[in-house]
Amino acid sequence: MTAVEKRLTIDHALVHIIFQAMAGIVYGFTVYLLMARGFNSAIAGFSMSFANLGSLFIQPMVANFLDKTKKYTVFDICVYISIIMVLLYVASCLITNATVLLFVIYTLSIAAYSSLEPLFNSLSSVFINSGINIEFGRARALGSVSYGLICFIFGLLTENYTYTVVLIGGCIFAILICLISLIIRKDYYFDEDGNINVFTSSYNPQ
């Protein structure tokens, strides 16, 4: 494995660690957050259902946009979606009562995260198609560990603090998704054939 591939393996591992940590927040604590705000379990289930249905429309739209555009990359879209998630989590912190608006905000935050999932997962196939050899299994394993740790840590925190700690965690990890997308974006780019290429100015292949 070259120095370039080792660096890309680290980048890919960081993506999975942060992304799966966010998954722990979104999927692991949505029902807790909604019920803590005054909703019942049925409404929480509706929120998850509507979010997944919404992502069925958002994901193809994003994929179609990326196929057609030459100006934006998958990392640009990840930055924009993560910014939207930060704004949604901040808005949810400002609303204290169980309202329709709060329900919509939570549902949109789940849908936004779900739309990121295929973008990050597609990176593996992009690397393979471009002939870049990185350790995908290790990156995914670290992501799984990250998911478990976040669920454990925030599970303990919610026993001693209010639901706000989960919202703050969501904001932090959404910001980290934005930052890692910006950092990785400067290191490589997509050519006209959709293959990924490394900027040699950022890496030493020796």
Side-chain angles (χ1 to χ4, degrees):
M1 181 178 287
T2 65
V4 170
E5 291 169 339
K6 289 180 181 178
R7 173 62 184 275
L8 288 176
T9 297
I10 294 174
D11 288 345
H12 200 60
L14 287 174
V15 166
H16 278 279
I17 290 171
I18 297 172
F19 183 73
Q20 292 301 327
M22 189 70 196
I25 297 291
V26 173
Y27 295 138
F29 292 92
T30 293
V31 174
Y32 163 78
L33 285 173
L34 287 170
M35 294 184 70
R37 308 298 288 274
F39 295 100
N40 57 39
S41 57
I43 297 299
F46 281 126
S47 177
M48 296 289 289
S49 299
F50 290 148
N52 288 324
L53 286 173
S55 66
L56 290 177
F57 295 96
I58 296 173
Q59 291 173 6
M61 291 173 58
V62 172
N64 185 56
F65 175 77
L66 285 172
D67 287 338
K68 293 181 178 180
T69 185
K70 298 295 183 183
K71 183 178 180 180
Y72 301 101
T73 68
V74 61
F75 302 108
D76 296 317
I77 302 301
C78 290
V79 169
Y80 298 142
I81 293 177
S82 60
I83 290 174
I84 291 173
M85 292 178 64
V86 171
L87 295 176
L88 290 171
Y89 273 107
V90 170
S92 66
C93 289
L94 301 177
I95 302 174
T96 57
N97 298 322
T99 62
V100 174
L101 179 59
L102 184 61
F103 174 84
V104 171
I105 288 174
Y106 274 126
T107 302
L108 289 176
S109 66
I110 299 169
Y113 174 81
S114 297
S115 66
L116 282 175
E117 195 164 5
L119 297 179
F120 281 121
N121 289 337
S122 67
L123 286 178
S124 299
S125 60
V126 170
F127 281 124
I128 293 173
N129 294 335
S130 302
I132 297 176
N133 178 34
I134 66 175
E135 297 183 15
F136 302 108
R138 183 172 297 180
R140 289 184 178 276
L142 290 173
S144 298
V145 172
S146 174
Y147 181 94
L149 285 175
I150 288 300
C151 289
F152 176 74
I153 292 171
F154 277 88
L156 293 177
L157 290 174
T158 54
E159 291 184 353
N160 300 304
Y161 302 95
T162 65
Y163 59 82
T164 307
V165 69
V166 180
L167 298 176
I168 294 174
C171 287
I172 291 173
F173 285 111
I175 292 172
L176 288 176
I177 289 175
C178 180
L179 291 177
I180 192 64
S181 298
L182 288 171
I183 291 171
I184 295 178
R185 184 182 63 172
K186 70 181 179 61
D187 288 332
Y188 51 83
Y189 65 97
F190 294 92
D191 61 22
E192 295 180 354
D193 297 324
N195 294 322
I196 200 166
N197 291 275
V198 180
F199 284 117
T200 54
S201 59
S202 299
Y203 293 119
N204 178 11
Q206 301 299 325

